């Protein structure tokens, strides 16, 4: 490999790393906005009149349960984003945490916070 090839490869890696950081930042902002929206929605749904029909209580409880599940999914996503940002800083971003193989660029574009290659993620999902 010539010095020009090395510089080009390093330059391409920098651009790629930068775009991964940008994607993670956008995803982090999206998660923060979603959590804020869910938090505000929950605050706005509080009823203070004390007069509920049993069907309304059930509907409210079901809606709240769905909102809490969505909040949990977003919080888990934030945790994965933080782990991806730490891996990016450590130089291990894009390396599968289970097998050590390189995670394909297409997967990282589709799922910027992916910590596993598709085969390892599939194995994990089957165990759940």
């Amino acid at each position: 490999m010539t010095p020009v090839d090395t510089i080009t490869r390093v330059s391409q890696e920098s651009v790629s790393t930068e775009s991964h950081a940008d994607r993670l930042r956008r995803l982090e902002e999206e998660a923060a906005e979603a959590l804020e929206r869910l938090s505000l929605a929950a605050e706005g749904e509080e009823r203070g009149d004390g007069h509920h029909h049993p069907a309304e209580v059930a509907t409210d409880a079901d809606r709240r349960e769905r909102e809490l599940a969505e909040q949990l999914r977003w919080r888990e996503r934030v945790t994965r984003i933080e782990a991806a940002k730490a891996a990016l800083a450590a130089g291990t971003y894009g390396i599968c945490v289970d097998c050590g193989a390189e995670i394909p660029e297409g997967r990282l574009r589709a799922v910027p916070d992916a910590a596993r290659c598709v085969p390892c993620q599939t194995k994990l999902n089957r165990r759940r």
Side-chain angles (χ1 to χ4, degrees), residues 82-104:
E82 289 170 354
K85 287 172 64 178
L88 192 62
T92 59
Y93 180 77
I95 305 297
C96 178
V97 297
D98 290 344
C99 71
E102 187 172 321
I103 299 171

Side-chain angles (χ1 to χ4, degrees), residues 88-124:
L88 192 62
T92 59
Y93 180 77
I95 305 297
C96 178
V97 297
D98 290 344
C99 71
E102 187 172 321
I103 299 171
E105 182 67 25
R107 175 158 171 76
L108 292 174
R109 282 193 184 130
V111 186
D113 56 330
R116 292 174 179 79
C117 62
V118 172
C120 289
Q121 186 65 52
T122 301
K123 287 178 194 174
L124 179 68

Side-chain angles (χ1 to χ4, degrees), residues 56-107:
E56 289 176 342
V57 172
T59 300
D60 289 346
D62 182 60
R63 181 177 46 245
R64 185 68 184 136
E65 186 174 330
R66 283 185 274 121
E67 289 171 354
L68 288 172
E70 187 176 358
Q71 282 180 348
L72 178 62
R73 283 191 299 275
W74 279 111
R75 285 190 179 113
E76 289 170 347
R77 188 85 193 253
V78 167
T79 300
R80 290 192 311 269
I81 293 166
E82 289 170 354
K85 287 172 64 178
L88 192 62
T92 59
Y93 180 77
I95 305 297
C96 178
V97 297
D98 290 344
C99 71
E102 187 172 321
I103 299 171
E105 182 67 25
R107 175 158 171 76

Side-chain angles (χ1 to χ4, degrees), residues 7 19 23 33 36 39 46 52 70 104 119-120 122 125-126:
I7 290 170
S19 64
R23 278 189 228 119
E33 289 171 7
E36 179 69 20
S39 177
E46 298 295 325
H52 287 0
E70 187 176 358
C120 289
T122 301
N125 291 346
R126 285 184 184 152

